[in-house]
């Protein structure tokens, strides 16, 4: 490809399995073209950062690394992401309730780092992927140009994009978005994927970070700042034709409210940013047509997202939740009201395998359009 390209993966918890399938399908298309440059600049946030981190460490052997990524998601269980024993979760839940109430506790006690789930198993899973050493080697060999993962700094509320690159790099900063050039490690991925309240924050250089989707109003920004003129985006929400008349009337239970909040954190920003890019492209084209000069450049985008609703697929597998998690979800409302939330936390091999296959199928079904996107100059 003559134009520099980048692959961007959004957040989504267990829905990250869909991205793995898309990545495998994209690899198969690129293999036919004999061009893998779409994989040289990788940007991820939350679950997308886990996938991007794995791919960055395995860019030199994409066939194996994409297959391994899919197989990891296909076999994934909740026990590989967080501790599911009663004692761990009930203890953390009690600590969390005490902290939220603040009643009868000192400010020091109230300020302790508390989360519902213990994610040490996830740390072990991430560490098994080759990590920093593999990324450093791929950067040196030129098969990888840059990896960017985004997390939220809890001190400033800034969206911080950590960038690992051997290329010439210029930092960027805006009102609430900044970049930091560094060697990305397991801890950066733990930070980017630390879902608020559920997963504990991660400590990096003395600062606590949480899920990168929280304040990430411009998820395409890192790819564009890294010079990409083509951005392949993998989302995790099904775009069905829903209207007020056609949709079910759901009770605003706690499960439904949290589902809406989780959706707004993980998926709304990437779709808004895609729309923003399209509007800017139209403005750039209008300026050029008027024989005007502008430093702005058009950004080509391709957006892949689920053709089936992950929430509906998750609702069918609700009984596969660990018993203690199932008990907690039952207190949030009906399965339908909590389905969106469930789809982000259903780390179940059957469900994740369904999403992997769906992602690969959705990508290959658009093969002709993707080829045109990849080869266009």
């Amino acid at each position: 490809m003559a134009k520099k390209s980048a692959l961007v993966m959004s957040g989504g918890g267990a829905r990250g399995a869909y991205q793995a399938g898309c990545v495998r399908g994209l690899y198969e298309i690129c293999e036919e073209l004999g061009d893998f440059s779409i994989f040289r600049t990788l940007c991820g946030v939350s679950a997308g950062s886990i996938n991007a981190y794995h791919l960055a460490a395995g860019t030199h052997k994409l066939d194996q690394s994409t297959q391994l990524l899919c197989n990891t998601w296909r076999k994934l269980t909740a026990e590989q992401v967080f501790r599911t024993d009663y004692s761990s979760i009930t203890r953390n839940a009690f600590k969390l309730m005490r902290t939220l109430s603040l009643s009868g506790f000192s400010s020091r006690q109230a300020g302790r780092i508390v989360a519902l789930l213990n994610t040490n198993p996830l740390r072990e899973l991430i560490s098994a992927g080759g990590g920093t050493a593999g990324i450093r080697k791929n950067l040196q060999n030129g098969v990888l140009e840059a990896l960017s993962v985004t997390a939220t700094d809890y001190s400033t509320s800034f969206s911080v994009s950590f960038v690992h690159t051997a290329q010439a790099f210029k930092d960027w900063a805006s009102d609430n978005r900044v970049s930091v050039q560094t060697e990305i490690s397991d801890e950066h991925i733990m930070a980017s994927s630390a879902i608020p309240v559920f997963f504990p924050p991660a400590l990096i250089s003395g600062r606590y970070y949480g899920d990168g989707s929280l304040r990430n109003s411009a998820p395409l920004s890192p790819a564009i700042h890294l010079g990409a003129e083509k951005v392949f985006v993998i989302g995790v929400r099904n775009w069905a034709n829903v209207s007020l008349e056609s949709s079910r009337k759901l009770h605003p239970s706690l499960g439904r409210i949290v589902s809406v909040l989780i959706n707004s954190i993980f998926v709304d920003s990437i779709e808004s940013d895609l729309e923003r890019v399209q509007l800017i492209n139209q403005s750039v084209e209008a300026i050029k047509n008027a024989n005007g000069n502008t430093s702005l450049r058009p950004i080509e985008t391709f957006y892949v997202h689920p053709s089936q609703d992950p929430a509906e697929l998750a609702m069918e597998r609700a009984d596969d939740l660990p018993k203690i998690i199932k008990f907690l979800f039952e207190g949030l409302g009906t399965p339908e009201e909590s389905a969106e939330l469930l789809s982000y936390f259903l780390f179940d091999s059957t469900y994740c395998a369904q999403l992997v296959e769906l992602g690969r199928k959705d990508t290959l079904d658009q093969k002709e359009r993707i080829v045109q996107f990849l080869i266009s100059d």
Side-chain angles (χ1 to χ4, degrees):
M1 284 178 282
K3 292 182 178 179
K4 185 173 180 179
S5 57
L7 176 60
V8 174
M9 288 174 279
S10 66
R15 295 188 185 196
Y18 177 82
Q19 296 174 350
C22 291
V23 163
R24 179 60 192 178
L26 181 60
Y27 164 77
E28 292 173 12
I29 293 172
C30 290
E31 185 180 32
E32 289 188 24
L33 294 175
D35 187 343
F36 301 99
S37 47
I38 191 73
F39 291 98
R40 287 181 184 158
T41 298
L42 302 168
C43 303
V45 57
S46 195
S49 72
I50 297 175
N51 291 331
Y53 189 56
H54 173 91
L55 288 173
T59 314
H60 61 295
K61 48 179 183 179
L62 279 171
D63 187 13
Q64 292 174 269
S65 63
T66 54
Q67 284 185 3
L68 179 59
L69 183 63
C70 289
N71 289 338
T72 299
W73 279 103
R74 286 190 186 104
K75 298 176 182 178
L76 192 66
T77 63
E79 290 78 9
Q80 292 176 283
V81 180
F82 51 81
R83 291 184 58 181
T84 59
D85 56 286
Y86 277 81
S87 59
S88 175
I89 294 178
T90 53
R91 182 170 60 249
N92 287 346
F94 180 64
K95 288 180 181 178
L96 184 60
M97 286 188 290
R98 286 196 311 179
T99 302
L100 291 175
S101 69
L102 304 182
S103 176
F105 293 90
S106 68
S107 58
R108 182 177 179 182
Q109 288 175 310
R112 289 182 299 179
I113 304 301
V114 177
L116 181 62
L117 303 172
N118 180 324
T119 54
N120 284 336
L122 177 60
R123 188 186 303 277
E124 295 174 7
L125 185 65
I126 290 171
S127 297
T132 307
I135 294 169
R136 189 188 304 123
K137 184 176 180 180
N138 286 335
L139 288 170
Q140 292 171 349
N141 292 339
V143 294
L144 177 70
E145 293 185 7
L147 168 67
S148 171
V149 300
T150 301
T152 302
D153 175 21
Y154 278 127
S155 297
T156 60
S157 297
F158 282 2
S159 177
V160 181
S161 293
F162 297 101
V163 179
H164 194 170
T165 179
Q167 306 286 319
F169 177 76
K170 183 179 180 181
D171 287 318
W172 67 84
S174 65
D175 290 341
N176 62 358
R177 300 196 311 275
V178 298
S179 65
V180 174
Q181 187 171 11
T182 187
E183 280 200 339
I184 292 175
S185 67
D186 299 349
E187 206 61 32
H188 293 90
I189 310 306
M190 291 296 294
S192 182
S193 56
I195 302 172
V197 180
F198 293 95
F199 291 4
L203 185 64
I204 301 173
S205 301
R207 307 182 76 89
Y208 284 102
Y209 290 87
D211 197 290
S213 298
L214 279 173
R215 293 297 302 273
N216 193 18
S217 58
L220 273 62
S221 175
I224 295 171
H225 278 292
L226 289 169
E229 296 175 280
K230 291 183 177 184
V231 183
F232 193 96
V233 184
I234 305 177
V236 293
R237 178 162 66 176
N238 166 253
W239 271 102
N241 293 319
V242 177
S243 65
L244 290 177
E245 292 75 21
S246 65
S247 61
R248 289 175 178 267
K249 298 176 182 178
L250 299 178
H251 183 74
S253 63
L254 181 57
R256 187 60 201 158
I257 292 171
V258 176
S259 292
V260 172
L261 290 174
I262 289 289
N263 264 340
S264 68
I265 291 173
F266 282 127
V267 296
D268 288 352
S269 60
I270 202 158
E271 287 148 3
S272 298
D273 206 22
L274 281 164
E275 183 177 356
R276 188 182 302 118
V277 168
Q278 291 173 1
L279 291 173
I280 294 174
N281 285 345
Q282 292 172 9
S283 299
V284 172
E285 188 65 25
I287 293 172
K288 288 182 176 180
N289 290 339
N291 296 319
N293 294 320
T294 175
S295 60
L296 296 175
R297 66 183 191 278
I299 305 296
E300 297 178 44
T301 61
F302 196 102
Y303 185 39
V304 175
H305 53 86
S307 58
Q308 292 180 257
D309 188 355
E312 292 183 2
L313 295 176
M315 196 161 51
E316 297 172 1
R317 311 299 312 179
D319 289 339
D320 295 329
L321 284 168
K323 290 182 180 180
I324 181 63
I325 303 297
K326 185 178 178 182
F327 172 76
L328 294 174
F329 265 89
E330 286 175 348
L332 298 178
T334 67
E336 187 176 14
E337 291 162 358
S338 303
E340 293 280 354
L341 180 62
L342 175 64
S343 69
Y344 290 102
F345 288 91
L346 186 58
F347 297 99
D348 166 72
S349 58
T350 303
Y351 171 66
C352 289
Q354 284 181 293
L355 292 184
V356 169
E357 298 312 317
L358 179 63
R360 180 174 177 272
K361 179 180 180 299
D362 285 348
T363 303
L364 294 178
D365 282 350
Q366 301 181 73
K367 179 179 176 179
E368 290 185 9
R369 292 181 55 230
I370 292 174
V371 168
Q372 288 303 311
F373 170 77
L374 294 176
I375 67 175
S376 64
D377 191 355

